[in-house]
Amino acid sequence: MRWKKTITMVEAHAEGEVGRIVTGGVLDVPGRTMLDKMNHINQVDDSLRRFLVNEPRGCAQMSTNLLLPKTHSDADAAYMIFQGDKAHAMSGSNSICLVTVLLETGMVEMVEPETIVTLETPAGLVRARAACKDGKCERVTLDMPPSYADQLDAVVEVEGLGKVTVDIAFGGIFYGLIDPAQFGLRITPENARKLVEIGCRVHRAINAQLEVRHPQLEGLEGISYTMFVSHDDDGTMKGATILPPGRIDRSPCGTGNSARLACMHARGLVAEGSTHTARSVIDSTFEVTVTGTTEVAGRPAILPRVSGRGWVHGIHQIGLDPSDPYPLGYMVADCWGDAFDLLS
């Protein structure tokens, strides 16, 4: 074996969504802040992300999280999220994976019954409270970035579908929120491919027809994902986030539900202090709460909290042989979906 690059990862999942954590092999990424570092990956040099995410070293149904030296004195650890399209500023499920890995591998000392971990992300500092017992990180509760409704009941013209109503909201990244009842669909595993196809079409239309830009965080513009939002028969929140180039998040989605709560709060549908259960397409759950209100550049915003569980399930080491013809990997539509035009 002759590798010119070696990277070690600990693998975990949060309520079904896999988030690998890079724990060795990458020293740093250029940039003064985590936002600078994310923008460097997205705008200057994307080779590391592609090496980690694409086949044959990665696969569609997972995220890879890059653990980096912190740039903020109040943080315990810093990271960004690599997915099929680009590096992202924040993720609830991946933060749960990261905290679980940090504590259960001893990278951050576990304190029972509760350990506080402050994560530095490109979207800002995220405070995590981990409930711990007998060496196990049993649950992670995240105080998410301030979230706000950007555009309610916006209408876009979607190819093959006509006019579609969406909400645009920020929950750490931007979402286009869609009621699947517009298409006569429910959020179920057997409808996954139909939801992905519609979600990608709506994604294209939103970024082409609506202006979406964070007023304070440079580089956060356009939606990252669409998310179908509905309720189960018992009234529980149900959601399905569509990730380019075409798959469904297996977790209930922390940033997506933060964005959803912001829209619900703007409509008077959830109260400050209220906690709700959010289900995923595979019926895994997060608990989501509106802990307070604030403002983002003068816009009304909420302070969301997301709580869920993570499990470590493997340790993985990958490398690159100098003769490998696929140093940056590849994607094939049978697994990844065919919305390659949505990739950055």
Side-chain angles (χ1 to χ4, degrees):
M1 183 173 71
R2 47 168 193 165
W3 283 353
K4 67 176 186 179
K5 181 185 296 184
T6 304
I7 292 178
T8 302
M9 293 172 285
V10 178
E11 299 190 343
H13 75 87
E15 303 293 350
E17 177 70 5
V18 175
R20 309 190 297 179
I21 313 300
V22 175
T23 57
V26 179
L27 294 178
D28 206 352
V29 169
R32 184 179 58 85
T33 67
M34 285 302 296
L35 184 60
D36 291 340
K37 294 174 190 293
M38 183 192 76
N39 288 335
H40 176 85
I41 293 291
N42 287 337
Q43 300 170 12
V44 180
D45 183 1
D46 196 30
S47 58
L48 177 61
R49 183 197 63 83
R50 286 184 287 164
F51 174 77
L52 290 167
V53 170
N54 291 350
E55 297 178 69
R57 285 161 284 271
C59 71
Q61 290 75 30
M62 63 172 57
S63 301
T64 299
N65 300 283
L66 183 60
L67 190 61
L68 292 172
K70 64 182 184 179
T71 69
H72 196 293
S73 60
D74 292 338
D76 296 302
Y79 90 114
M80 72 178 76
I81 304 100
F82 288 170
Q83 290 176 343
D85 56 340
K86 62 182 180 180
H88 288 272
M90 178 55 193
S91 165
S93 64
N94 284 289
S95 293
I96 291 169
C97 288
L98 175 60
V99 171
T100 302
V101 167
L102 290 173
L103 295 181
E104 293 194 6
T105 62
M107 296 180 73
V108 171
E109 183 181 1
M110 181 183 291
V111 178
E112 299 182 8
E114 183 178 84
T115 308
I116 306 298
V117 182
T118 300
L119 303 177
E120 182 186 3
T121 79
L125 295 178
V126 173
R127 182 175 180 266
R129 292 183 293 111
C132 304
K133 182 179 179 181
D134 297 330
K136 166 65 182 168
C137 176
E138 295 186 324
R139 176 171 287 271
V140 177
T141 300
L142 304 166
D143 287 330
M144 302 288 283
S147 303
Y148 66 93
D150 186 70
Q151 302 174 50
L152 296 178
D153 296 318
V155 177
V156 291
E157 187 72 31
V158 181
E159 181 181 359
L161 300 173
K163 295 185 184 299
V164 176
T165 300
V166 299
D167 292 335
I168 307 298
F170 181 80
I173 51 180
F174 279 108
Y175 280 82
L177 305 177
I178 314 164
D179 184 348
Q182 294 178 85
F183 316 103
L185 291 174
R186 293 171 60 88
I187 298 172
T188 61
E190 57 268 26
N191 285 334
R193 182 45 53 191
K194 294 178 182 177
L195 292 170
V196 165
E197 181 182 351
I198 293 171
C200 290
R201 289 189 187 186
V202 176
H203 191 148
R204 294 184 187 99
I206 291 172
N207 279 346
Q209 299 170 36
L210 301 179
E211 183 176 353
V212 181
R213 186 184 304 273
H214 197 281
Q216 296 172 326
L217 299 176
E218 181 184 354
L220 294 188
E221 54 191 48
I223 65 166
S224 291
Y225 311 122
T226 53
M227 181 182 184
F228 290 95
V229 293
S230 64
H231 292 83
D232 277 340
D233 293 338
D234 62 2
T236 301
M237 295 165 58
K238 190 72 171 266
T241 294
I242 310 302
L243 294 80
R247 75 171 183 94
I248 288 184
D249 188 340
R250 272 57 172 162
S251 82
C253 190
T255 48
N257 275 295
S258 296
R260 182 179 185 179
L261 285 179
C263 292
M264 294 173 71
H265 187 267
R267 291 191 170 99
L269 299 177
V270 293
E272 186 174 340
S274 61
T275 297
H276 309 267
T277 298
R279 286 192 186 124
S280 74
V281 69
I282 62 170
D283 286 333
S284 59
T285 61
F286 284 164
E287 298 299 314
V288 295
T289 304
V290 179
T291 65
T293 58
T294 185
E295 290 186 349
V296 174
R299 301 167 184 249
I302 65 165
L303 299 172
R305 179 172 289 164
V306 172
S307 179
R309 301 167 298 169
W311 293 268
V312 176
H313 59 83
I315 296 175
H316 189 194
Q317 191 172 68
I318 62 173
L320 178 63
D321 187 287
S323 66
D324 191 328
Y326 304 108
L328 298 182
Y330 49 82
M331 293 180 175
V332 182
D334 61 339
C335 295
W336 289 87
D338 59 3
F340 290 104
D341 58 303
L342 294 179
L343 302 180
S344 297

